[in-house]
Amino acid sequence: MKTINEELVENINRISHKIKLANRPEKPECHGDKPPMGPPPKGKPMHERILVLLSKVESIEKPQLEMILGIPHSMNDKILKDLIEKNYVSMTGKGKDAIISITDEGKAKLQQDEEKKKANEAAVFDALTDDEKALVVSILKKIQ
């Protein structure tokens, strides 16, 4: 028979796993070796990382994008081609002078992904009432 502490740990681990699964990207991307800004966050495909970065800066030179994200030129070209085909980003100029910008469709895609993520996270806790959720949060804060 398990102790209450063992049951708590087991159930918290299960919930953590469910949350990770709910936020798993649909198509994981290869991130290469360690980029200069540290390893890519888990669960964020490179396509999404580029869109997130562009949503914050509006536009960026292609070499800067590669340096910040730590991705090789050839990989960046492939990803940008895909994003341009989907009309999520636009590119003006060529080569090192190219400027990459997020489009309205790219911003909408980010918003849609964020809403989907929130819905997936909420689904994990659907079995609880709002009072029970507040109690769990209170308990977790207390044991931190």
Side-chain angles (χ1 to χ4, degrees), residues 36-55:
M37 300 301 289
K42 291 183 179 177
K44 283 209 179 247
M46 194 58 67
H47 288 67
E48 183 180 352
R49 291 186 71 209
I50 289 173
L51 290 176
V52 168
L53 176 63
L54 289 172
S55 72

Side-chain angles (χ1 to χ4, degrees), residues 79-142:
I79 295 168
L80 287 175
K81 180 181 177 195
D82 186 42
L83 291 171
I84 290 168
E85 286 175 2
K86 294 177 181 176
N87 201 28
Y88 294 157
V89 302
S90 64
M91 182 166 60
T92 55
K94 293 191 179 212
K96 292 183 179 183
D97 294 329
I99 304 290
I100 314 299
S101 303
I102 191 165
T103 63
D104 290 339
E105 288 86 351
K107 291 175 186 175
K109 171 69 171 147
L110 278 178
Q111 181 67 30
Q112 178 186 16
D113 289 350
E114 186 62 29
E115 290 169 4
K116 187 176 181 181
K117 177 182 173 185
K118 287 179 182 178
N120 288 342
E121 288 173 352
V124 172
F125 300 104
D126 278 349
L128 300 176
T129 66
D130 287 344
D131 289 341
E132 290 169 330
K133 290 175 191 177
L135 180 60
V136 169
V137 169
S138 172
I139 292 168
L140 290 174
K141 283 182 177 179
K142 186 173 184 177

